[in-house]
Amino acid sequence: VRTSLYYPITMRSLTDRSRTRTFNWNVASISLVVFTFAVATMVQAGSPPFCNNLDCPVYTVVTKTAQYEIRKYAPSVWSSTNVTSVDSYNDATREGFQRLFKYISGANTNGTKVPMAAPVLVDVYPGAGPACNSTFTINFFVPFAYQANPPRPTQADCFIRYVPSFNVAVGSFPGYITSYNATIVPQLIKLEAALTHDGVKVLDNALAHTAGYDSPFKVFNRHNEVWLMIAQE
């Protein structure tokens, strides 16, 4: 396993290199008409228990092992923000969460109160080495009622993201995320090792995603995930 890809992280500005990684959420250049039809016809076929009765993105399980799941996600819409000026994963997610919470609380063109959904997804763009800064994109899933026509943020640092279908390998783990290096990096290494053993090719080892489903006030039975993007089948 190429563990050196998962450097301890600090912050840096978003560079052209991080924008052009193999998988980039911003590649969603599909037709808005086709996309709107796709999300309008999605059916929430019972969210898994870890979604805590909140709207969650639609997916099907392609493969399930003791170490991971491979999921195929349907096209979806997210509200997002880039955080580039803090010192840690926890600070970045906190700052991004606050921005997006303002958006769902009415800081949008319609003044709409958008219900909270799950998960809070964080895209992690690591720096080029141990002493380099990293960038985070924090994302809220847009509830089904607003997927076809999401309210537009009035904050300049928030935006709406249209994401096409994708395949992802998912590793799940309990508890709180104390820090990126102490909690998330070991989970990424564990997931990549299992995928390598099974011959599953990761699109970009250096780009990781974390998904959190629980309020910080939930103490027991917490559910967190790390995601690594894999090729569409």
Side-chain angles (χ1 to χ4, degrees):
V1 178
R2 289 168 289 176
T3 56
S4 61
L5 288 170
Y6 305 119
Y7 291 122
I9 58 173
T10 56
M11 288 302 306
R12 67 168 172 157
S13 297
L14 189 61
T15 65
D16 290 340
R17 177 174 177 269
S18 65
R19 288 194 186 99
T20 57
R21 292 185 184 278
T22 303
F23 183 90
N24 190 323
W25 290 107
N26 295 322
V27 300
S29 57
I30 58 176
S31 165
L32 181 59
V33 174
V34 174
F35 180 86
T36 301
F37 175 80
V39 297
T41 56
M42 286 193 307
V43 177
Q44 187 183 18
S47 293
F50 53 76
C51 288
N52 300 307
N53 296 314
L54 300 176
D55 282 2
C56 277
V58 174
Y59 68 86
T60 56
V61 177
V62 178
T63 302
K64 184 176 179 64
T65 75
Q67 290 78 36
Y68 61 86
E69 280 187 350
I70 292 179
R71 300 174 184 168
K72 183 178 183 64
Y73 276 89
S76 55
V77 182
W78 302 71
S79 58
S80 304
T81 185
N82 294 321
V83 181
T84 60
S85 60
V86 294
D87 298 326
S88 73
Y89 170 91
N90 288 29
D91 289 342
T93 54
R94 187 179 302 111
E95 171 65 22
F97 186 96
Q98 291 171 350
R99 293 180 192 173
L100 295 176
F101 190 78
K102 289 179 182 177
Y103 161 73
I104 68 172
S105 297
N108 54 69
T109 51
N110 301 330
T112 303
K113 307 291 186 183
V114 181
M116 189 68 194
V120 176
L121 186 67
V122 182
D123 312 328
V124 183
Y125 299 86
C132 297
N133 295 331
S134 299
T135 296
F136 305 91
T137 302
I138 294 82
N139 310 273
F140 279 12
F141 178 66
V142 173
F144 292 107
Y146 299 96
Q147 284 273 309
N149 188 25
R152 300 290 160 173
T154 53
Q155 302 160 262
D157 52 9
C158 296
F159 55 95
I160 296 298
R161 173 178 284 179
Y162 296 87
V163 180
S165 176
F166 62 92
N167 284 10
V168 65
V170 178
S172 302
F173 60 99
Y176 287 93
I177 296 174
T178 57
S179 74
Y180 186 88
N181 300 323
T183 307
I184 297 171
V185 169
Q187 296 296 329
L188 289 169
I189 293 171
K190 178 181 176 182
L191 175 59
E192 189 184 6
L195 295 172
T196 300
H197 178 271
D198 293 345
V200 180
K201 182 173 176 57
V202 176
L203 287 179
D204 188 348
N205 313 60
L207 173 58
H209 308 269
T210 68
Y213 292 83
D214 298 306
S215 159
F217 304 108
K218 182 178 179 180
V219 177
F220 302 106
N221 300 315
R222 296 183 61 82
H223 182 87
N224 311 287
E225 296 172 349
V226 289
W227 294 7
L228 290 173
M229 298 298 161
I230 62 173
Q232 295 269 20
E233 296 182 353

